[in-house]
Amino acid sequence: MPVLFHESTLSSNLNLRFFRGFFFGFSALAIGIHNFTWMRALPEWRWEPQLMLQWLKLGQRPPDLSTLLLAKWLFVICAGLAALGLVFRISSIGSFLFGMYLLLIFQSFGVPGRRSILMAFILFTFMVLGNRTDDWILRVVKWIWCLNFFDAGICKLYYSGWSWINGEQLSSKILWANVVIGDNLAEVQDRLWAHLILMPHSFLTLLAGGAMLLELCAPLALFSRTAALLIVPLCASMQIGIYIFMGLNFILFLPAYLVWVPWDRLYQKGAQLFNRYAIKQ
Amino acid sequence: MNIRLPRPHFWVISKSDLLPRCLILFFVFGYVFAHVFRGDIYPFYQIDMYSKPFPPGPTPILSLWGVDDQKKEIHLDPNIYHTLGTQGLYGWTMKLYQLVNENKLAEINGYLKNLLILYNQNGRGDPTHLKALILKLLYLKAHKEEKPKIKIAYARFISRVDLE
């Protein structure tokens, strides 16, 4: 039987290589196309240096644009090399250092940070475990993914208690998010989110309760494949919903979702289909 | 003769597994302990504002947002923006929300004026933008709850509060 596409070429760490390529490639692209000029427009009183910058004595004043651009392009080069698996030990260390610097600058200007923390932790994992070819990197990234959602649930419980699931709370938060982000206030009532907050109170309570339950149950995805099949798509839908109704963008989560994709099985299936098709021809 | 060796117990950690396990512990600490409970010691700090309650829920957190819940007034500390950033506005808007619900027009007047003073002091932009923002917020609230009293308060609010 002629086999054009050898399934035996499947290596044991294909999942890791795919994830590594996507993660670093995406990070290089996301930071590479980011325009840092918005920081120059911010007043200096917005500058609240993160503790880590203070420890490194880099927090006295905001960095100038040329420093930011230098850090940005150094990150893009390092992440690009890491995506291709070239000089990975050095490129992963460089990616973490320059990436962390840029993320800390974002945070110090008050840009919300859950997405940045996820990215920083994954960069750190690659830097520390960079040489490993077993599945530990993927396992640690899955832990980070789950902890990120679990932490959001715990935060809600700690600060608000179960009252957070009251529909009134959710509608207030949707209002708050849009009031800050929206600029054309004259047309506010025609917007999608305005229709959502006018929905019945019980529906909003159900939404809020579902979100909190999902966040608190996220770690179950680590221990059960069935739970992961349910929790991961639901978390993705929740974040898409948050983007639509609250304008909060979770695009930096995208590469982290890819850690759940069984690339080796997809590769195997693809190879089988390809071979079957080729034989018929 | 086949001798079957006992399977190592799950808690026996090989040397090569030690580092990733420590890393997971570090992240658990980072997320759940340092970030949630002791944000001030965590080097990568953020305030998770969407986790905070709004009035009329539990309100002690309002003092953090620059609002004295007992005295029903805001702290006119010019540094408040510096310490709280954009999130200061959150508490003020929601406090106003509560005052409208309680139909306390006199307090709304004073509160809003103080808010505008602070808003201008910190160069936050055009105060008419803030005015439009707050009015629409209140209107939506009144419309949603279908409370005639609030609708009346809203109408009075527009006519009485001098924002210029």
Coordinates of all heavy atoms in Angstrom, one line a residue, chain B residues 13 26 69 96 100 106 112 140-142 147 155 164:
Chain B
I13 N 8.0 11.8 44.1 CA 8.3 12.7 43.0 C 9.8 12.5 42.5 O 10.7 12.5 43.3 CB 8.2 14.2 43.5 CG1 6.7 14.4 44.0 CG2 8.5 15.1 42.4 CD1 6.5 15.7 44.7
F26 N 4.1 27.8 42.8 CA 4.4 29.2 42.7 C 3.2 29.9 42.1 O 2.8 31.0 42.5 CB 5.7 29.4 41.9 CG 5.9 30.9 41.5 CD1 6.3 31.8 42.5 CD2 5.8 31.3 40.2 CE1 6.5 33.1 42.2 CE2 6.0 32.6 39.9 CZ 6.4 33.5 40.9
D69 N -18.8 56.4 53.0 CA -20.2 55.9 52.9 C -21.0 56.4 54.1 O -22.2 56.6 54.0 CB -20.2 54.3 53.0 CG -21.5 53.8 52.4 OD1 -22.1 54.4 51.5 OD2 -21.9 52.7 52.9
L96 N -23.5 58.0 43.0 CA -24.5 58.8 42.5 C -25.7 58.0 42.1 O -26.9 58.5 42.4 CB -23.9 59.5 41.2 CG -24.5 60.8 40.7 CD1 -24.4 61.8 41.8 CD2 -23.9 61.2 39.5
V100 N -29.5 58.7 43.6 CA -30.7 58.9 42.8 C -31.8 58.0 43.2 O -33.0 58.3 43.3 CB -30.3 58.8 41.3 CG1 -31.6 58.7 40.5 CG2 -29.5 60.0 40.9
A106 N -30.6 67.1 47.0 CA -29.6 68.0 47.5 C -28.2 67.4 47.5 O -27.3 68.1 47.1 CB -30.1 68.5 48.9
L112 N -22.2 66.0 42.8 CA -21.8 66.1 41.4 C -20.9 67.3 41.2 O -19.9 67.2 40.4 CB -23.1 66.2 40.5 CG -22.9 65.9 39.1 CD1 -22.5 64.4 39.0 CD2 -24.2 66.1 38.3
L140 N -31.1 55.2 32.0 CA -31.2 53.8 31.7 C -31.6 53.0 33.0 O -32.5 52.1 32.9 CB -29.8 53.2 31.3 CG -29.5 53.3 29.9 CD1 -28.0 53.0 29.6 CD2 -30.4 52.4 29.0
K141 N -31.1 53.5 34.1 CA -31.5 52.9 35.4 C -33.0 53.1 35.7 O -33.7 52.1 36.0 CB -30.6 53.5 36.5 CG -31.0 53.1 37.9 CD -30.3 51.9 38.3 CE -30.6 51.6 39.8 NZ -30.2 50.3 40.1
A142 N -33.5 54.3 35.4 CA -34.9 54.6 35.7 C -35.8 53.8 34.7 O -36.8 53.3 35.1 CB -35.1 56.1 35.5
K147 N -39.5 53.0 37.6 CA -39.9 53.6 38.9 C -40.2 55.0 38.6 O -39.3 55.8 38.3 CB -38.7 53.5 39.9 CG -38.5 52.1 40.4 CD -37.4 52.1 41.5 CE -37.2 50.7 42.0 NZ -36.1 50.6 42.9
A155 N -35.8 64.0 35.9 CA -36.2 65.2 35.3 C -35.8 66.4 36.1 O -35.3 67.4 35.6 CB -37.7 65.2 35.1
E164 N -22.4 73.8 34.8 CA -21.4 74.7 34.1 C -20.5 75.4 35.1 O -20.9 75.6 36.2 CB -22.2 75.7 33.2 CG -23.1 75.1 32.2 CD -22.3 74.1 31.3 OE1 -21.1 74.3 31.0 OE2 -22.9 73.1 30.9

